[in-house]
């Protein structure tokens, strides 16, 4: 039905954006796996990866903004 197609389109956009982020983390930042023994250390390690990704993305956006103006 048309409602299902519309819902799938929205989900597809979200899925594509999230998959792009994880692909960048895996390919450019040396994988996402963790050899830590407990959940707390693993959470900290993944948090650091997320912060690093956000900082890299911020720099990309700032460069794009400067070159656009």
């Amino acid at each position: 039905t048309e409602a299902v197609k519309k819902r799938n389109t929205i989900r597809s956009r979200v899925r594509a954006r999230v998959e792009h982020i994880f692909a960048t983390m895996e390919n450019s930042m040396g994988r996402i796996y963790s050899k830590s023994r407990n959940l707390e250390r693993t959470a900290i390690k993944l948090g650091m990866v997320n912060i690093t990704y956000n900082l890299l993305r911020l720099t990309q956006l700032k460069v794009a903004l400067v070159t656009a103006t």
Side-chain angles (χ1 to χ4, degrees):
T1 65
E2 194 61 37
V4 172
K5 287 182 182 180
K6 186 176 181 180
R7 186 176 60 225
N8 286 340
T9 301
I10 293 170
R11 288 179 180 174
S12 177
R13 287 181 192 156
V14 172
R15 188 179 304 115
R17 182 64 185 142
V18 170
E19 287 177 0
H20 179 266
I21 292 169
F22 280 107
T24 303
M25 287 180 180
E26 284 189 354
N27 297 329
S28 302
M29 301 171 68
R31 308 281 179 230
I32 306 178
Y33 68 88
S34 176
K35 292 183 180 179
S36 298
R37 293 183 181 258
N38 63 24
L39 186 59
E40 190 174 321
R41 286 184 183 174
T42 302
I44 291 170
K45 193 172 188 177
L46 286 175
M48 295 297 283
V49 170
N50 291 337
I51 290 170
T52 305
Y53 173 81
N54 288 334
L55 289 172
L56 289 172
R57 185 73 180 129
L58 179 66
T59 2
Q60 291 173 345
L61 292 173
K62 282 187 175 183
V63 167
L65 181 65
V66 168
T67 56
T69 55

